[in-house]
Amino acid sequence: MENSSEDYRIQSFDVDTQKLLKTALKDPSSVDLEKVSNILVDQSLKDPFFSKEAGRICYTIVQGEAKQNNGTVFRRHLLNRLQQEFKEREETRKRSLQEWVCYVTFICNIFDYLKVNNMPLGALVLPVYDCLMRLAQPDALLNEEEVDCLVQQLHRIGEQLEKVNSQRMDELFFLLRDGFLLQEGLTSMARLLLLEILEFRAGGWMLSSTAHKYYYSEIAD
Amino acid sequence: MSHRSGAPRTESRRSFRSSGPSRWSQSRKRGIDGNLRSHSDDDDAAADEGLYGGRQSSFRTPESAGPVSRCARRPDWGSQVEDEEEMRKDVHRDMQRYRRRILGSEPGQRERRASSGSSGSCDSREGETMETDEAVLMRRQKQISYGKNTLAYDRYIKEVPKHLRQPGVHPKTPNKFRKYSRRSWDQQIKLWRVKLHAWDPPAGGSQENSLSDNIEELDLEDMVDIELDFPTLADPQDAPSSSVVEDQDCSATPVKVQKTEDPSVA
């Protein structure tokens, strides 16, 4: 595992915290892992970039702790903190859209990185769906920020999610189709994002090369 | 799905009724003929009950919400993941043991079969037809655990020692390692649960004490489970001494045996 981006992301903390995190990555059992988990969650909720990277850091610590002493202290605290934030998600969303989007990004990132025997964490499946469903509600579709978050998560973990619970994915896509087709007030960017994700799933979680060209290449003059 | 045309969309929206009906819901409540379907929600709700409610209500704890059985998921995510990890480990361990057991029993099985002249023919094929899909095994183990984590099961294993149990008479835990269709497996579980109900504690008994006992016994029961799941050496059909054992057994728990037969006949 290369450390460059982890190191890079850790730069944004103060010196003491940097030291703590570096130790946690190398020798997890020698530090207060509850504290570490709280630092990582707090930062993820504040920093949109960090929330996309934090999964990898968490993965490294979880692996390290398991290797050292078969421990699960960090994972337990991390998940329980995530759960606590999950319960307050509607208030969070009202208070700060950015924090809410960061939360969803973070929990999805954790879902993507942490596995049990190479299988997704069952405990996170329904909560992750709940978050994505929330982003697909009419009021959320009006915020490009939330639409953008929704489709990014689906690009990353949509296929895994569908494998463990396809019924929920069907429900989510009913919402997305309705939103794309019927909702007034969507920006054209939001519609584009929705259309792309609809095509993406319809193609078996892949874009055909022509679709890719349509969505991603510069328009020829 | 016969209601392909309109119902699924309605259904998906209904799950979010809490945030109010969506703005366009009026325009979508039309049948194929284009007429407004004013009563559609009631219909769909009823259909859903049949689809989902029926499956979950009687003998399985719902996986996401609803009443939680006393063995089931601890509420915090950290513990849930630990339980999940544990369960996966157990399934793998069971699988290893089961494989060993098959290997170990095969030659002996042959001899026994030769001398007795009649015996089950399915066990030797077990290796090829073994269920190895982890998801399936975990789902089955969960169902089994729900069945075993009952007062009735505790009473059953206490009252009827293993060597006295009669195939066809007493409930036998379905073998999770055999290949079965989903339907067949669910049916076996259902019948097993029905049979176990014969050992339900008498109404109004002091449930509190035994309740806490059960939780502690859980792990032990899981061990018992593995034994039960291994292919039995005696075949149901050729148990020559059955009448004798049955008599003993009946004298021990006459009422129960009587009772078990009722549901399966009905």
Side-chain angles (χ1 to χ4, degrees), chain A residues 137-160:
Chain A
Q137 296 301 309
D139 61 334
L141 290 179
L142 292 176
N143 297 316
E144 229 166 70
E145 209 182 336
E146 291 185 275
V147 179
D148 189 53
C149 173
L150 171 64
V151 299
Q152 273 188 40
Q153 305 322 317
L154 284 172
H155 273 282
R156 282 184 87 145
I157 59 170
E159 190 173 6
Q160 296 177 60

Side-chain angles (χ1 to χ4, degrees), chain A residues 72 75-76 79-80 82-83 86 116-117 119-124 126-127 133 137 167 174 178 182-183, chain B residues 8-9 12-13 15-16 19 23-24 28 52 64 75-82 84-85 88 92 134:
Chain A
T72 56
R75 187 179 68 188
R76 163 180 290 274
L79 291 173
N80 289 348
L82 268 179
Q83 182 176 24
F86 179 76
V116 167
N117 285 24
M119 291 292 287
L121 304 184
L124 290 188
L126 293 178
M133 291 282 199
Q137 296 301 309
Q167 192 194 328
F174 292 144
D178 274 353
L182 299 164
Q183 179 152 347
Chain B
R9 265 190 293 274
S12 73
R13 254 202 317 275
S15 7
F16 299 99
S19 55
R23 172 150 34 133
W24 53 75
R28 302 306 300 284
Y52 306 114
S64 53
D76 64 293
W77 293 357
S79 306
Q80 280 177 26
V81 170
E82 271 157 40
E84 197 181 334
E85 199 165 30
R88 266 179 218 285
H92 280 277
E134 196 180 79

Side-chain angles (χ1 to χ4, degrees), chain A residues 6-7 11 60 89-91 129 156 174 200 204-205:
Chain A
E6 277 165 25
D7 283 347
Q11 306 294 312
T60 309
R89 64 191 183 283
E90 205 50 48
E91 292 88 79
Y129 266 120
R156 282 184 87 145
F174 292 144
F200 187 69
W205 302 103

Side-chain angles (χ1 to χ4, degrees), chain A residues 204-220:
Chain A
W205 302 103
M206 262 171 32
L207 279 187
S208 69
S209 60
T210 47
H212 193 273
K213 216 181 269 170
Y214 176 83
Y215 290 106
Y216 290 100
S217 37
E218 305 286 324
I219 298 164

Side-chain angles (χ1 to χ4, degrees), chain A residues 126, chain B residues 56 60-66 73 139 142 146 182:
Chain A
L126 293 178
Chain B
Q56 293 183 338
R60 266 177 54 190
T61 303
E63 271 162 280
S64 53
R73 310 164 42 113
R139 190 179 60 224
K142 212 177 204 174
Y146 286 142
R182 176 86 189 244

Side-chain angles (χ1 to χ4, degrees), chain A residues 186-210:
Chain A
L186 283 192
T187 64
S188 56
M189 186 55 177
R191 262 187 228 287
L192 183 79
L193 291 171
L194 288 177
L195 182 60
E196 188 198 339
I197 201 68
L198 290 172
E199 278 199 64
F200 187 69
R201 184 195 181 206
W205 302 103
M206 262 171 32
L207 279 187
S208 69
S209 60
T210 47

